[in-house]
Amino acid sequence: MPRTLRWRLILSHVLPLLVIVPIMGLALVYVLETQVVLTNLSGDLAVQARLIAELAGEQPAIWADPAQAQAFIAHETSHVASRVMLVSTAGQLLSSSDAADAARSGQAINLPNLAQALAGQVTTRVSYSQASDAEIVDVLAPVVGPDGRTIGVVRLTHRQADVAEQLIRLRTVIAGVLIVGLALGASVGGALAVNLASPIRQVIQALQDLAERRQPTALPERGPEELRRLERAFNTMVERLAALERSQRQLLSNLVHELGQQLGPLV
């Protein structure tokens, strides 16, 4: 633990920042990622899902032929960064833009919001996770055929790995801003601590001079009100000591004068 007042004052300014700023940074990252980034992603995916669903509704044959479904995915979704799936009304995967899903073609997949999508509702599910393979945004859009019936579902998903670069940039910017703020706060705190410790050090030096019987000097009254009162009290004490010393000299001078007058005739 620092023993000087200056370093203790500096720590009193810096330590709260070292505790509060990281907590604020983590909270800010979480809020921005969940309430801004993921919300914007889900909105964009919902728009893309509706557009792809409209295109898929104009080609009913793709829902009966997996080869045509895969050709549709390859042609219509080449510009889409997210994973795109075509799912039948029975919940079976017909095709996917992700080659890793090829082995699951024709199999039923677990879609919690499939019933709502088949009922004609675009559903969005956001799940905040740090796992690279976690599906953080999942959108289901119903595909309506020429006869007005729902013939399938388009599924768009964003995984953590898909948006990792964007999130890293966001965290880097926030970390940079917080580091700059922490450095500025520490600098201001250090300057304030030094500015506060300087007049106290002057008072200590003046008291030490007084204790060693060196001629004390009046201190300039500056700083916070408490320090001004301390310096004012010291100056008052110096004035009273100076007045007492003058009185003692005057008394000694008077004694010498009186003794001189009394002893003069005897010499």
Side-chain angles (χ1 to χ4, degrees), residues 8-24 182:
R8 292 194 179 190
L9 289 173
I10 291 175
L11 287 178
S12 70
H13 286 84
V14 175
L15 284 180
L17 292 177
L18 292 177
V19 174
I20 295 174
V21 168
I23 295 176
M24 290 180 58
L182 182 60

Side-chain angles (χ1 to χ4, degrees), residues 190-210:
L192 290 175
V194 171
N195 186 50
L196 185 61
S198 178
I200 296 178
R201 190 165 54 249
Q202 290 182 359
V203 173
I204 295 173
Q205 183 61 46
L207 289 172
Q208 186 174 357
D209 292 342
L210 184 62

Side-chain angles (χ1 to χ4, degrees), residues 178-253:
L178 292 179
I179 289 174
V180 171
L182 182 60
L184 290 176
S187 300
V188 173
L192 290 175
V194 171
N195 186 50
L196 185 61
S198 178
I200 296 178
R201 190 165 54 249
Q202 290 182 359
V203 173
I204 295 173
Q205 183 61 46
L207 289 172
Q208 186 174 357
D209 292 342
L210 184 62
E212 295 176 357
R213 296 185 179 278
R214 291 197 292 264
Q215 182 62 34
T217 58
L219 296 174
E221 297 182 9
R222 60 179 183 175
E225 180 60 28
E226 290 78 4
L227 282 178
R228 290 176 180 270
R229 292 172 61 183
L230 176 61
E231 292 161 346
R232 191 177 302 120
F234 177 83
N235 292 336
T236 301
M237 181 181 65
V238 169
E239 292 175 359
R240 290 181 178 178
L241 287 175
L244 179 60
E245 185 176 356
R246 289 193 300 269
S247 298
Q248 290 175 344
R249 290 177 180 176
Q250 184 65 37
L251 178 60
L252 180 59
S253 177

